[in-house]
Amino acid sequence: MSTLTNRQILLASRPAGEPTVDNFKLVETPVPELQDGQVLVRHHYLSLDPYMRGRMNEGKSYAQPQPLGEVMIGGTVGEVVQSRNPNFQVGDKVVGMGGWQEYAVVDAHQRGVLQKVDTTHIPLSAYLGAVGMPGVTAWYGLVKIIEPKAGETVVVSAASGAVGGVVGQLAKVRGCRAVGIAGGPDKCRYVVEELGFDACIDYKQHRDVRSLASALKEACPQGIDGYFENVGGMMLDAVLLRMNAFARIALCGMISGYNGEPIPLQNPQLLLVNRVKLQGFIVSEHMDVWPEALKELGTLVATGKLKYRESIAQGIERAPEAFIGLLKGRNFGKQLVKLI
């Protein structure tokens, strides 16, 4: 075992504003011998997600900050290459939170730290996207907070991303009109032609709230009943101008403010006037619904009814650059790092 080397990315310093590659450090460490109950996982893919930006800060949040000098947090899928645990065999495909590294030694007696997955009909990488945390995030926000009814209109920001793309497709399954907001003609074309949304607005064509609200009026002639928010800022302001009475907002992310910028709300009184329900949520606090969500998501992916797209960076050393690109919207679909 001592001949195996693990390459890891550590958080070297906390970013002031936008993260840079200098905030990260690549190190090599030997893979330790396994103890009883442990398994060694060789990671195939690492998931990069916007929530990681918040963890890099020291400030109070819904989760503990990422410690300095330790492996960056992150979801992983891979294969068991050595096992001293009766529940896991060499060759098992698994999903976990292995972090930004090529190997992970996991104490597999702890419940839930490692889940076996079936790759017969679902690609391994999908367990980090449509059939993983992003998919369940989409499912929870739509099904449990927006609670869409057939015929209603659901708007989704960051609609071409790993979460947003699933929201719109699940809304269509439930008989809704799905309208996306995305950046650039290619992403908007993909959202409509590949994912099956009814319309998609290119926010880059709109310089102010009034212009974006006008585009929303055209795309949502019956107003907006549900809004899945990933971005905040101008998007939320524009959507609020088009909301129907008793509309629901699932507040998933505010990526427009992840580097510390203030995100003012222009017309908060519209929440009251339209009796809007706005609820923020963290999907890891709702583990009770994961089996139900994953059953629907897995079935839809396995039968080809739920489409998704992946941006893949090659090699652990590319993770910081790919992560910075994700925060700037350079990715197209789910951002992964291929480690093998």
Side-chain angles (χ1 to χ4, degrees), residues 257-279:
Y258 276 3
N259 291 317
E261 309 90 330
I263 320 174
L265 198 56
Q266 284 192 11
N267 297 292
Q269 72 274 20
L270 292 172
L271 294 166
L272 173 61
V273 171
N274 290 319
R275 288 83 85 206
V276 174
K277 178 178 93 169
L278 186 154
Q279 186 177 334

Side-chain angles (χ1 to χ4, degrees), residues 142-202:
L142 182 76
V143 175
K144 296 297 186 182
I145 296 175
I146 294 173
E147 298 181 298
K149 299 171 194 68
E152 290 190 328
T153 297
V154 174
V155 174
V156 190
S157 61
S160 68
V163 175
V166 175
V167 174
Q169 292 178 85
L170 291 177
K172 290 300 293 177
V173 167
R174 285 158 175 79
C176 296
R177 177 175 176 80
V179 175
I181 305 173
D186 291 345
K187 288 183 177 179
C188 285
R189 198 175 305 116
Y190 162 76
V191 165
V192 174
E193 293 176 7
E194 293 283 319
L195 302 185
F197 282 57
D198 295 284
C200 188
I201 297 162
D202 179 2

